[in-house]
């Protein structure tokens, strides 16, 4: 059995018998005026963060969600769109599509603004999406891509890139891990399907996105996720897994490389009112400017003693350079 078949089997089981402990998100459930998340959707929250961010969701975006789980985030996305077929949900596991379909019916009972036909469910594979080119404003996946091995991950990201409109956004949440993992863990199909042993270091994860052509990357959050300990897993050392929330934006690739925001800021504290680096960045005195890692490097190379550049906070929420 391939690791993809093992994954399908695991999520078929998780669709038929909801498993509250399957994935562990530390996110509180979004509470918005008039939005009620049915209990069954909360029990089937198999994500590891949130991909729902109000600032991505203005002007009734056409949305795609790959790997639907119990449907919670599709309901949350629908909240911002409220149109027939406004969110396309794709999943390869028929039982998961059926479970989410049932959950949307329950959501309809609990939310007077929601109709099941706001979500169009399609059977399909992340590596071969049943979606037209350049047709989506916001595409999302939560805790699915980390399962994929390198070649499959490349295909899945390329598919998301293909279906997004220019400047469209791919929003994601996935586990990441900065420590090496041994081959036994890496090749354990069940652990991989459980989102425990496929995770990459953040830099590799980001490179997979920029290699596909995404010109802007935002790392919006970084959180503790899980531990693989020697007593319970095939490892000699404790392995710490985090999860990140990331947006990859289909902006053209800048000639000097991608803009990657990891939560750095520059603060000018010199004698003038501002500094203009003549490359499009104006630093007003004592006002932090969010900067991408490329701009951070360029400002640092000026060698000035009146510009402070912060470390990456891995919390970026918009604005700044680029
Ligand atoms: C870890 S769960 C995450 C579910 C949901 N995103 C959430 O946050 O609750 C992974 C989801 O991806 C689906 N899936 C697995 N392999 C897939 C594939 N190759 N293409 C599309 N969906 C897939 C599973 O059926 C399951 O719904």
């Amino acid at each position: 059995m391939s690791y993809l078949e093992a994954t399908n089997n695991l999520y078929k089981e998780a669709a038929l018998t909801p498993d509250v402990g399957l994935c562990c998100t530390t996110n509180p459930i979004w509470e918005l005026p008039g939005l009620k998340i049915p209990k069954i959707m909360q029990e089937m929250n198999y994500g590891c963060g949130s991909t729902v961010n109000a600032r991505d969701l203005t002007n009734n975006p056409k949305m795609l969600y790959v790997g639907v789980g119990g449907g919670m985030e599709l309901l949350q996305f629908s909240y911002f769109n409220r149109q027939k077929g406004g969110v396309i949900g794709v999943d390869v596991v028929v039982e998961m599509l059926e479970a989410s379909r049932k959950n949307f019916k329950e959501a309809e009972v609990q939310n007077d603004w929601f109709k099941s036909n706001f979500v169009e469910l399609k059977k399909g594979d992340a590596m071969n999406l049943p979606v037209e080119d350049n047709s989506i404003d916001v595409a999302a996946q939560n805790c699915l891509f980390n399962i994929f091995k390198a070649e499959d991950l490349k295909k899945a990201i390329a598919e998301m890139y293909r279906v997004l409109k220019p400047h469209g956004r791919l929003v994601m949440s996935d586990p990441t891990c900065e420590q090496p993992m041994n081959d036994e863990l890496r090749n354990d199909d069940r652990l991989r399907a459980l989102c425990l042993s496929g995770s990459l270091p953040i830099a590799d994860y980001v490179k997979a996105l920029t290699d596909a052509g995404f010109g802007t990357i935002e790392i919006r959050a970084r959180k503790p996720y899980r531990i693989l300990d020697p007593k319970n897993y095939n490892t000699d050392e404790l392995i710490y897994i985090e999860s990140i929330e990331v947006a990859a934006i289909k902006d053209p690739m800048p000639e000097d490389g991608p803009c990657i925001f990891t939560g750095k800021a520059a603060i000018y504290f010199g004698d003038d009112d501002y500094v203009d680096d003549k490359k499009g960045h104006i630093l007003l005195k004592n006002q932090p400017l969010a900067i991408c890692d490329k701009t951070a490097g360029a400002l640092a190379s000026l060698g000035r003693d009146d510009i402070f550049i912060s470390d990456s906070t891995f919390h970026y929420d918009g604005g700044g350079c680029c």
Side-chain angles (χ1 to χ4, degrees):
M1 194 183 359
S2 73
Y3 85 98
L4 291 172
E5 285 168 328
T7 302
N8 293 1
N9 289 342
L10 189 123
Y11 288 103
K12 177 179 166 182
E13 280 309 309
L16 298 174
T17 313
D19 179 355
V20 180
L22 186 57
C23 290
C24 297
T25 170
T26 53
N27 272 56
I29 301 291
W30 268 88
E31 287 191 15
L32 296 165
L35 172 63
K36 292 205 175 61
I37 309 286
K39 190 160 169 274
I40 182 67
M41 282 188 173
Q42 299 187 33
E43 288 170 357
M44 293 180 72
N45 179 6
Y46 299 146
C48 58
S50 176
T51 63
V52 183
N53 192 321
R55 95 184 143 85
D56 299 324
L57 303 173
T58 50
N59 303 321
N60 294 325
K62 177 80 180 175
M63 293 177 264
L64 165 70
Y65 193 94
V66 180
V68 296
M72 185 183 80
E73 291 204 304
L74 293 96
L75 174 65
Q76 292 168 327
F77 278 124
S78 290
Y79 179 87
F80 292 91
N81 177 295
R82 303 185 185 201
Q83 286 177 17
K84 189 177 169 198
V87 184
I88 300 174
V90 172
D91 205 295
V92 82
V93 177
V94 177
E95 292 77 4
M96 197 60 94
L97 288 168
E98 284 316 310
S100 69
R101 203 184 303 280
K102 205 168 142 210
N103 295 350
F104 291 129
K105 286 280 171 214
E106 179 57 28
E108 212 172 307
V109 173
Q110 296 188 24
N111 294 273
D112 55 10
W113 56 268
F114 179 70
K115 293 190 178 50
S116 286
N117 71 10
F118 289 177
V119 177
E120 184 188 356
L121 291 170
K122 294 189 180 191
K123 180 174 182 326
D125 195 312
M127 270 84 86
N128 185 16
L129 292 172
V131 179
E132 275 178 37
D133 294 2
N134 299 312
S135 61
I136 300 293
D137 296 294
V138 178
Q141 71 80 24
N142 192 336
C143 221
L144 170 61
F145 282 12
N146 74 96
I147 297 171
F148 295 149
K149 293 186 176 172
E151 276 311 301
D152 293 334
L153 176 63
K154 200 171 162 183
K155 281 189 214 157
I157 294 174
E159 276 295 89
M160 290 292 210
Y161 189 87
R162 173 182 70 75
V163 301
L164 279 170
K165 295 177 188 170
H167 305 290
R169 293 161 178 230
L170 168 59
V171 283
M172 294 177 291
S173 175
D174 264 314
T176 58
C177 182
E178 302 303 316
Q179 288 166 257
M181 277 193 213
N182 62 49
D183 288 346
E184 285 75 26
L185 287 175
R186 286 270 182 229
N187 296 324
D188 183 319
D189 291 347
R190 186 172 161 77
L191 286 185
R192 192 170 263 279
L194 285 167
C195 303
L196 288 176
S197 66
S199 47
L200 299 172
I202 292 175
D204 294 2
Y205 188 93
V206 167
K207 185 168 183 306
L209 295 167
T210 55
D211 282 353
F214 288 99
T216 305
I217 309 291
E218 302 178 356
I219 303 203
R220 295 172 166 182
R222 179 179 184 178
K223 307 171 190 186
Y225 178 63
R226 292 287 283 272
I227 290 292
L228 303 183
D229 66 285
K231 211 167 126 197
N232 292 294
Y233 296 92
N234 190 354
T235 171
D236 292 335
E237 58 166 8
L238 204 72
I239 298 178
Y240 173 50
I241 305 176
E242 296 166 289
S243 74
I244 53 169
E245 294 170 9
V246 179
I249 301 165
K250 193 176 172 180
D251 290 336
M253 183 61 69
E255 271 177 22
D256 57 352
C259 294
I260 301 168
F261 289 90
T262 60
K264 291 188 176 181
I267 305 174
Y268 166 63
F269 55 95
D271 295 332
D272 298 318
D273 290 340
Y274 64 90
V275 168
D276 182 349
D277 75 349
K278 310 281 185 215
K279 290 182 182 150
H281 310 118
I282 294 179
L283 293 161
L284 298 177
K285 186 170 176 168
N286 293 330
Q287 289 196 22
L289 179 75
I291 49 173
C292 72
D293 289 4
K294 196 172 56 178
T295 302
L299 290 174
S301 72
L302 298 177
R304 295 181 65 132
D305 60 6
D306 53 6
I307 296 177
F308 172 82
I309 296 166
S310 79
D311 289 336
S312 300
T313 59
F314 299 100
H315 174 78
Y316 175 74
D317 58 4
C321 77
C322 300

